[in-house]
Amino acid sequence: MLTTNVRSATVAPTCRSLSGQVKTLPATSRLTSPAELKRTSAVASRKPSGASLRVRAVAAETALPGTAHSSGAGQRVMIIGGDGYCGWATALHLSARGYQVAIMDNLVRRTIDLQLGSDSLTPIASAHDRVKKWAEVSGKHIELMVGDVCDWSFLEQSFTSFKPETVVHFGQQRSAPYSMIDRARAVYTQHNNVIGTLNVLYAIKELAPDCHLVKLGTMGEYGTPNIDIEEGYIEIEHNGRKDKLPYPKQGGSFYHLSKVHDSSNILFAARAWNIAATDLNQGIVYGVRTEETMADPMLINRFDYDGIYGTLTNRFCIQAALGHPLTVYGKGGQTRGMLDIRDTVQCLQIAIDNPAQKGESRVFNQITETWSVNEIADIVVAQGNKLGLDVSKINIPNPRTEAESHYYNVKCDKLKELGLTPHLLSDNLIESLLTFAMDYKHRCNLELIKPAVQWKESGIRDNMAKAVVGGP
């Protein structure tokens, strides 16, 4: 049974004032089959009224075959940004294991695709159809609340009605290149990310003081210091005195800096208001496959491969599938932390099942291994050759302002100590990415892969035209 209660929907792809309203655009994605197009058109043609759009898929409480209920089963978990790449996989993972899940999302990521002329390589169904299909496949209940976390009245109403015990916060503009397109996109990124997190902190303080906040940060907050990267805090001795302080941050884009601001705000709120918070500094995530997202074609996850939202692993894999040389930015010595999407959902469940203490803002470095860009390219070449692909790599000018050769040693023990069992890139690349790239390469637009944003060219003029497909 599908029940719909209409209240409001706000989608904010461009900068707006704190109280400003924006036009809601169709939250659809370009799909290939007539059936997919028909479903998407049906959703887009609905005419909501009131203050939020909520879709509840209700079915018998039965588990998916082969899934285990955790000790956290039954806990009420609100996933902000649950229609996105990490959020969708996490929502299904938790729902399958007995958590009561609500997704909150303004669907702006889909709108940005329309603005940029881009799309997921994998055809993704509408958020409404996804939730309905999950109920049919799993017999599980997921609640979908469409609205903006920056809209306080919507957030307050959602907290009051759902009464979350844990809030998982993915609901942010997550692309460094997008934040560097121009002034407007930089301001939108910082406003959306920082104000959204502030609203969540106030909602927990006033409406759900015992709620545990699990916030997705990024390893990019740290930059590439010439010392070991600790898990959030570092012991300092200076002029004969010692202290344990937040690790210094050197974000490499206005997106990364928005996450730095979030971390400071969360630390302050935890201490001032006795909030329990876990900040997950996540590395580059790769992969499409989780047990739940592969349960039905309509549940498949995003595969972003473009120069703005696509990660280097995704970009390399689609290039390999098409016989295009892998494009390495600069010298290729840039080293980053990585993890499989299956490990992301593991980490989120571990953080929920082992909550922070009241008044604590703890930090986990959420990675399983580190690789340089050149090393990742070499893995894709080797794995592609095993599949009979003719794969090579080339170096192209780096559009970013970053060190291309540097020291990088990350401490990432806490999640492993709590039970994380990693999937490693060299062992799982074919299963996680290459097969999907080969299966859906007919949907690829090669123009999307080119670097579309130059860090040094970000300015006050509207530069969106250069970032879109077919732009000058």
Side-chain angles (χ1 to χ4, degrees):
M1 178 178 67
L2 186 68
T3 62
T4 305
N5 296 316
V6 178
R7 285 193 286 212
S8 95
T10 56
V11 178
T14 57
C15 182
R16 63 189 187 288
S17 68
L18 283 170
S19 59
Q21 296 297 315
V22 293
K23 183 179 180 181
T24 301
L25 299 177
T28 59
S29 180
R30 188 172 69 251
L31 304 174
T32 52
S33 73
E36 287 164 345
L37 288 170
K38 183 177 180 180
R39 285 195 300 270
T40 305
S41 299
V43 171
S45 65
R46 296 173 187 168
K47 296 182 179 180
S49 61
S52 77
L53 183 65
R54 174 173 295 188
V55 176
R56 184 186 295 254
V58 182
E61 289 294 322
T62 56
L64 273 178
T67 60
H69 290 270
S70 76
S71 58
Q75 186 175 166
R76 301 179 68 80
V77 181
M78 176 183 287
I79 301 179
I80 302 172
D83 185 52
Y85 171 60
C86 291
W88 179 242
T90 301
L92 298 194
H93 176 87
L94 294 176
S95 177
R97 286 155 181 80
Y99 298 78
Q100 297 182 54
V101 175
I103 288 175
M104 177 190 295
D105 205 300
N106 65 1
L107 309 182
V108 69
R109 179 66 190 87
R110 296 169 181 260
T111 303
I112 290 175
D113 270 349
L114 296 175
Q115 293 176 332
L116 293 173
S118 61
D119 199 3
S120 166
L121 185 71
T122 50
I124 55 172
S126 74
H128 310 83
D129 286 347
R130 279 173 146 185
V131 169
K132 183 178 180 180
K133 177 56 67 174
W134 175 246
E136 295 172 359
V137 169
S138 69
K140 291 293 177 180
H141 162 161
I142 286 184
E143 188 170 339
L144 175 61
M145 298 176 284
V146 177
D148 195 334
V149 71
C150 291
D151 177 354
W152 171 252
S153 61
F154 166 76
L155 184 64
E156 181 182 31
Q157 189 174 33
S158 300
F159 259 71
T160 301
S161 63
F162 184 70
K163 298 178 174 60
E165 297 168 86
T166 296
V167 170
V168 178
H169 187 12
F170 293 116
Q172 302 197 307
Q173 195 295 102
R174 62 175 176 84
S175 165
Y178 187 88
S179 76
M180 298 301 295
I181 290 174
D182 53 29
R183 185 206 64 84
R185 258 48 68 168
V187 172
Y188 166 67
T189 299
Q190 296 243 338
H191 177 275
N192 180 81
N193 294 3
V194 177
I195 301 305
T197 299
L198 277 173
N199 277 350
V200 172
L201 290 169
Y202 270 97
I204 292 173
K205 175 183 181 290
E206 297 293 333
L207 306 172
D210 293 326
C211 180
H212 176 212
L213 172 63
V214 179
K215 166 69 168 58
L216 192 71
T218 171
M219 288 298 300
E221 293 182 38
Y222 296 119
T224 53
N226 198 37
I227 59 173
D228 291 353
I229 297 175
E230 305 294 333
E231 297 206 59
Y233 298 89
I234 185 170
E235 294 184 0
I236 298 290
E237 182 173 352
H238 181 65
N239 291 340
R241 301 185 68 84
K242 295 181 180 180
D243 204 348
K244 188 175 184 179
L245 301 171
Y247 195 94
K249 304 296 178 68
Q250 303 179 78
S253 71
F254 288 119
Y255 155 72
H256 292 109
L257 289 167
S258 75
K259 294 288 197 174
V260 173
H261 301 326
D262 279 342
S263 294
S264 296
N265 288 341
I266 291 168
L267 174 60
F268 172 77
R271 291 176 175 175
W273 299 337
N274 205 34
I275 288 174
T278 299
D279 204 352
L280 298 173
N281 284 337
Q282 181 168 258
I284 297 171
V285 185
Y286 62 88
V288 177
R289 180 186 302 275
T290 66
E291 180 180 359
E292 294 77 29
T293 59
M294 297 306 296
D296 187 274
M298 285 184 65
L299 301 177
I300 197 167
N301 210 345
R302 298 186 65 93
F303 187 125
D304 293 311
Y305 64 94
D306 59 277
I308 294 180
Y309 277 91
T311 63
L312 76 162
T313 46
N314 289 10
R315 187 177 79 247
F316 285 170
C317 284
I318 190 59
Q319 287 175 327
L322 292 169
H324 188 286
L326 312 186
T327 50
V328 174
Y329 291 173
K331 296 177 182 178
Q334 306 94 309
T335 302
R336 301 292 185 264
M338 313 283 294
L339 76 162
D340 192 296
I341 186 64
R342 291 170 291 186
D343 296 338
T344 291
V345 299
Q346 273 194 79
C347 291
L348 267 296
Q349 184 181 347
I350 288 170
I352 292 168
D353 289 351
N354 301 273
Q357 299 298 312
K358 296 273 285 182
E360 176 187 15
S361 179
R362 64 181 183 180
V363 179
F364 295 162
N365 289 340
Q366 189 167 298
I367 67 170
T368 56
E369 52 190 336
T370 59
W371 298 98
S372 72
V373 175
N374 280 326
E375 289 170 333
I376 294 170
D378 290 340
I379 291 172
V380 175
V381 169
Q383 297 296 319
N385 289 339
K386 289 181 180 179
L387 296 175
L389 302 174
D390 183 15
V391 188
S392 62
K393 65 177 183 177
I394 58 173
N395 296 81
I396 64 173
N398 193 346
R400 304 187 178 209
T401 301
E402 62 184 359
E404 296 181 1
S405 179
H406 54 85
Y407 179 80
Y408 199 71
N409 187 44
V410 180
K411 303 293 181 63
C412 54
D413 300 322
K414 294 179 181 179
L415 285 163
K416 294 175 184 176
E417 290 170 358
L418 290 172
L420 172 63
T421 304
H423 299 79
L424 300 181
L425 180 67
S426 56
D427 298 329
N428 293 279
L429 181 70
I430 291 177
E431 179 187 23
S432 295
L433 278 178
L434 268 176
T435 53
F436 289 93
M438 294 171 69
D439 288 344
Y440 292 101
K441 65 181 180 181
H442 62 282
R443 289 173 47 86
C444 175
N445 182 344
L446 271 174
E447 289 295 309
L448 288 173
I449 300 175
K450 298 186 300 184
V453 180
Q454 303 287 330
W455 261 228
K456 293 183 179 180
E457 293 181 6
S458 183
I460 61 174
R461 295 181 181 275
D462 189 326
N463 214 24
M464 197 70 162
K466 290 187 177 181
V468 301
V469 175

